[in-house]
Amino acid sequence: MGQTALYALAALSALFWGANFNLAGPVLADMAPMSAAAGRFVLAALIMAALVAWRGEFSAMLGTARRYGGRLALVGVVGIAGFNLLFFDAMRTTSAVNGALIMATNPLLTALLAALFLGEQLPGRQIAAIPVALAGVSMVILGGGAAGGAMEFGFGDLEMLGANLAWAAYNVLARKLTPPGPQMANTTVMMTAGALVLAAAAMLEGSVFVIPGPKAGAALLTMAVTGSVLAYLFWSMAITRLGAGRTALFLNLVPVFAAIIATLGGTPPNPAQLGGGAVVIAAVIFSMLPSRRRTCPA
């Protein structure tokens, strides 16, 4: 597969994740957050298991589960169950654009956690970009959902910050704990663990699972197929061939796609979201620029 095709796959992943922020609204109109989160990943895990079986890798997946089930389950609980519980509850009260722009800081947050817990070097550009990106997020949160330019802080924005932290922790844990071998099998085990925890949490909360209407059902199925199965697979393929650094740049497209889709749906971003989003994206891009190497004079 050529480099252009890999770039296209990474961009498609960003498009699917950006769409998730807009698809959550119709789903939550019919379903409780816990049920929606569980439904999305139960569907995704079943689709992944079917794909693994179709590829003739089901026995290999079972072997992976026996050998590495504990560590993969931990990754799935944090990155799938933890993230989605916070994501769906946040999307009840925050906007699609706000949520996507808050998540745009994830590459920086991931780099910070990797430096703290994996001992990876944190370049000076990333250190300098972190407070700038946080300032941009503050602009988005304080002015993004307010009418008439007033400043307000929503609990959904706080939950999205927690979801952002859970996804960064997922990236770090996946890097540290995911074993070598077929990545589709690893992803299926992680998704299954996350789906089971989400389903258990929904039952413990007493959420009554209702069959969603046509609009909500189509949105939930789209989130499962494109925003979960295809996005995870395409992203994994891009990271494997292009490397994490170059692939991570495509995360900057997530809020762009979310804003475009929201605008097409009749909810364009307001000035605070545009200004804060520009600061966030500029800070993240700046942090990922290669450092200039000093050359000795001849």
Side-chain angles (χ1 to χ4, degrees):
M1 184 177 291
Q3 195 172 71
T4 301
L6 292 169
Y7 286 150
L9 291 181
L12 278 173
S13 294
L15 171 62
F16 295 151
W17 284 328
N20 279 350
F21 289 92
N22 294 277
L23 292 168
V27 173
L28 293 173
D30 284 12
M31 303 177 71
M34 287 279 197
S35 297
R40 172 189 173 185
F41 273 96
V42 167
L43 283 172
L46 290 173
I47 294 169
M48 287 293 293
L51 287 173
V52 169
W54 177 69
R55 288 166 58 93
E57 298 175 355
F58 199 79
S59 59
M61 184 192 71
L62 293 178
T64 297
R66 283 193 297 268
R67 294 183 62 187
Y68 306 107
R71 63 169 73 176
L72 289 172
L74 175 60
V75 177
V77 168
V78 172
I80 293 175
F83 170 79
N84 279 278
L85 286 174
L86 290 165
F87 170 81
F88 274 100
D89 204 54
M91 292 309 299
R92 291 187 306 156
T93 54
T94 192
S95 69
V97 176
N98 260 32
L101 288 172
I102 290 169
M103 288 299 298
T105 61
N106 193 264
L108 287 177
L109 185 56
T110 298
L112 180 60
L113 292 184
L116 290 174
F117 297 105
L118 299 181
E120 295 186 7
Q121 185 178 4
L122 192 63
R125 284 181 181 271
Q126 292 182 340
I127 295 173
I130 288 172
V132 178
L134 291 177
V137 168
S138 298
M139 291 172 61
V140 170
I141 290 175
L142 293 174
M151 305 294 272
E152 67 176 22
F153 180 83
F155 183 67
D157 296 317
L158 181 62
E159 287 184 303
M160 192 58 71
L161 288 171
N164 192 19
L165 179 61
W167 188 256
Y170 165 81
N171 290 335
V172 172
L173 288 171
R175 193 176 305 173
K176 184 176 180 64
L177 299 179
T178 301
Q183 290 306 305
M184 186 173 286
N186 290 335
T187 302
T188 303
V189 174
M190 287 188 288
M191 278 194 181
T192 302
L196 290 173
V197 171
L198 288 169
M203 287 188 291
L204 288 173
E205 188 197 42
S207 295
V208 178
F209 184 81
V210 296
I211 297 176
K215 184 177 181 180
L220 184 66
L221 183 61
T222 302
M223 292 182 79
V225 174
T226 61
S228 301
V229 174
L230 294 180
Y232 276 75
L233 289 177
F234 290 169
W235 196 254
S236 177
M237 291 168 66
I239 285 179
T240 301
R241 308 282 182 84
L242 298 174
R246 275 194 291 174
T247 307
L249 284 170
F250 286 87
L251 285 172
N252 298 302
L253 293 176
V254 173
V256 176
F257 285 131
I260 291 172
I261 294 169
T263 300
L264 293 174
T267 311
N270 64 27
Q273 290 171 324
L274 289 172
V279 172
V280 170
I281 293 172
V284 174
I285 292 176
F286 172 78
S287 75
M288 293 182 175
L289 292 175
S291 299
R292 293 183 179 178
R293 294 183 179 178
R294 294 182 179 178
T295 56
C296 296

